[in-house]
Amino acid sequence: MKNVLFIDRDGTLIKEPEDNQIDAFEKLEFYPEVFTYLKKIATELDYELVLVTNQDGLGTVSHPEEHFWPVHNFMIKCFENEGIVFADEHIDRTFADDNAPTRKPRTGLLTSYFSDDYDLKNSFVIGDRLTDVELAKNLGAKGIYINDQTFLGTNEVSSTKEALAPYIGLETNTWSEIYEFLKLSNRSGNISRKTNETDISIALNLDGTGKSNIDTGLAFFDHMLDQIARHGQMDLDIKVSGDLEVDEHHTIEDTAIALGTLFNKTLGNKLGIERYGFCLPMDDCLAQVAIDFGGRNWLVWEAEFKREYIGKMPTEMFMHFFKSFTDGAKCNLNIQANGTNEHHKIEAIFKAFAKSIKMAVKRDVHKMILPSTKGML
């Protein structure tokens, strides 16, 4: 399935004049840095570029075609000369007060993209109007809103922006930020795993802010999983319905398997990641967790517990959780911990685990290479 960038023209690729019509060469001025970063997007990222623009009344006396096409075609040729090729151009000619289905934010021009050939959920609409964000909403995509007041022809209503906020993936006024956002995006995902023993749903955003919503039916286990989100600075939603009337084993094991599998899926091609990652003190305890997202599963566990339970979580399941995670995530884990307080010991392990993940999954947008001499992970 193809990912698409639906890109507005005026105010996005080129600056928009006061009369909203670029019908003469002297009016043509390209948006700052658009060639530099759109070329990087076109050559480095896997998006199909599609131009979508409203040209009110194109072909009428007020907007004659003979004035429009020479400038437009010159603009397209300039992009092509830089290796930036639009797979298609969709131009609506209706007037601003026309409710035609082809006019943005309606999707009449873009019905061919509602097919199994395109992944609209992971596609974006880039534009300088909130109608572009609304188009993204109608497509089931996300909006990249170029909010540069210098080039806005009208003042847009704040209430409309607030209503569309969930569909704005990025608000910016520079193409460099658009490039970085797209290059570092798509490290989120979800997984569902249902067996006769557990029913699990997990959503993960590796580049989140530490938000979590966790309910496994085991309060102490929830507390430990929350450490992963908070200290790893990732967003994590986990909902588990397990056979706790039997015991805690299946709930903990299956959660770890699903979470590890989702990590492996969400890391994707692993380009640019640090790969390795933490030594963390907590009162009387010292926990060391080293991780390698290298594609192979292995666990070294050097931690002993003198209590059978902490909360309602069996201490024998601690090692089993991390072993199941390595199986799903295809990573190496080396865990060591010592101390006298058992609660502190396992909490320090989970915090160090979170910090090691944060370190290992960090990416450098300017060094998107695979951290391996083998050529694959």
Side-chain angles (χ1 to χ4, degrees), residues 90-254:
H90 299 280
I91 300 175
D92 180 73
R93 301 163 174 252
T94 55
F95 285 102
D97 60 350
D98 195 330
N99 290 320
T102 55
R103 180 176 175 78
K104 289 191 299 180
R106 289 168 284 279
T107 61
L109 283 174
L110 307 173
T111 54
S112 61
Y113 298 95
F114 290 99
S115 75
D116 292 337
D117 294 331
Y118 295 96
D119 183 2
L120 293 179
K121 184 178 179 181
N122 290 307
S123 298
F124 294 89
V125 177
I126 306 175
D128 70 326
R129 293 288 188 274
L130 288 176
T131 50
D132 295 305
V133 178
E134 191 175 353
L135 174 64
K137 173 187 175 183
N138 294 339
L139 287 169
K142 285 281 191 180
I144 295 177
Y145 178 40
I146 298 180
N147 187 0
D148 190 334
Q149 297 298 324
T150 305
F151 307 121
L152 282 179
T154 60
N155 293 321
E156 297 180 278
V157 182
S158 59
S159 60
T160 302
K161 182 178 177 182
E162 184 177 347
L164 291 171
Y167 305 96
I168 300 177
L170 173 69
E171 181 173 348
T172 182
N173 61 6
T174 69
W175 271 95
S176 61
E177 289 187 358
I178 294 174
Y179 164 68
E180 291 194 11
F181 172 78
L182 291 172
K183 192 153 189 175
L184 297 181
S185 67
N186 298 328
R187 293 213 303 180
S188 61
N190 54 73
I191 191 172
S192 295
R193 187 180 191 273
K194 188 171 184 178
T195 69
N196 290 334
E197 299 161 341
T198 57
D199 187 353
I200 299 171
S201 297
I202 304 178
L204 170 68
N205 179 2
L206 284 177
D207 303 301
T209 58
K211 295 182 294 185
S212 67
N213 183 15
I214 298 170
D215 181 10
T216 65
L218 296 169
F220 185 76
F221 190 33
D222 293 352
H223 181 48
M224 293 300 99
L225 294 172
D226 182 58
Q227 305 303 317
I228 298 174
R230 298 296 177 88
H231 295 281
Q233 289 189 342
M234 63 192 78
D235 296 340
L236 190 58
D237 288 354
I238 300 177
K239 176 64 178 177
V240 182
S241 176
D243 56 353
L244 295 178
E245 70 279 4
V246 177
D247 69 5
E248 305 85 355
H249 187 104
H250 299 140
T251 292
I252 297 169
E253 178 183 41
D254 290 3

Side-chain angles (χ1 to χ4, degrees), residues 320-331:
H320 202 63
F321 171 86
F322 290 105
K323 175 61 170 66
S324 298
F325 180 89
T326 64
D327 291 342
K330 294 182 173 58
C331 70

